[in-house]
Amino acid sequence: MMKVVIVAILALATTLVSAYDPSPLQDFCVAINNTDSAVFVNGQFCKDPATVVANDFFFSGLNIPGNTAANKLGSSVNLVNVDKFPGLNTLGISLARIDFAPYGLNPPHTHPRGTELLVVIEGTLLVGFVTSNPNKLFTKVLNKGDVFVFPIGLIHFQFNIGETNALAFSGLSSQNPGLITIANAVFGSSPPINPDVLIKAFQLDKSVVDYLQKQF
């Protein structure tokens, strides 16, 4: 009986591991768009190793503040994933710079393929995440130098509660962690979700649902 349990646990562990970015099968696999001289691995084509150069493993620009004024929520996210940084291909990691205007918000969202580790560089942030049912909230006020982790797939947020700009950097455990912003997904999907579904799910009047769908 014990052997059966052990085999079952190992099988489950193998299934869970395969749900995330697979481990690299070579030292590196730089993304390339030219499929004529590439091999398809881990979602991106690999550049011929003989043509790889140091700049394939280099990215610049995260010193430049994001334009928080362009977002009505007062935040700006510069995600550096495999699409911007080919050297990340197969390495299972990406990085983001997050700028906040005073009282700026990075709204509730989730990364379906990555855990997020956030460090505050400047300012004071109220952060938190909500577990799967029964939906327990874990929240904390972070100051300069503080670190907080958001487990993979869980809804989370960051809110600048200070009167000055704030800055944070996040590392994510996927070369392409994905992003689902909750309000946009629910009220701004294309095509839109049937209003009757939202009326019943959120227990709202139709006029409120109509208004919310127009906002997104």
Side-chain angles (χ1 to χ4, degrees), residues 91-114:
L91 300 183
I93 192 170
S94 56
L95 178 70
R97 173 182 174 133
I98 313 172
D99 290 275
F100 300 85
Y103 305 108
L105 172 69
N106 191 15
H109 62 280
T110 178
H111 303 292
R113 293 181 294 275

Side-chain angles (χ1 to χ4, degrees), residues 8-92:
I9 292 174
L10 290 175
L12 177 60
T14 302
T15 302
L16 291 175
V17 169
S18 67
Y20 309 122
D21 288 355
S23 299
L25 300 178
Q26 57 282 318
D27 288 341
F28 52 79
C29 176
V30 176
I32 185 173
N33 291 323
N34 180 9
T35 59
D36 293 334
S37 59
V39 179
F40 193 74
V41 178
N42 287 19
Q44 293 282 355
F45 286 96
C46 296
K47 190 175 184 179
D48 184 343
T51 65
V52 169
V53 296
N55 275 345
D56 289 322
F57 304 100
F58 171 79
F59 181 90
S60 64
L62 286 183
N63 61 311
I64 301 172
N67 182 12
T68 57
N71 179 356
K72 61 184 179 181
L73 299 179
S75 66
S76 173
V77 179
N78 184 3
L79 173 65
V80 182
N81 62 8
V82 68
D83 295 328
K84 292 183 180 179
F85 192 178
L88 294 180
N89 197 36
T90 78
L91 300 183

Side-chain angles (χ1 to χ4, degrees), residues 175-187:
Q175 68 183 41
N176 185 24
L179 172 67
I180 301 172
T181 304
I182 306 306
N184 299 59
V186 173
F187 295 105

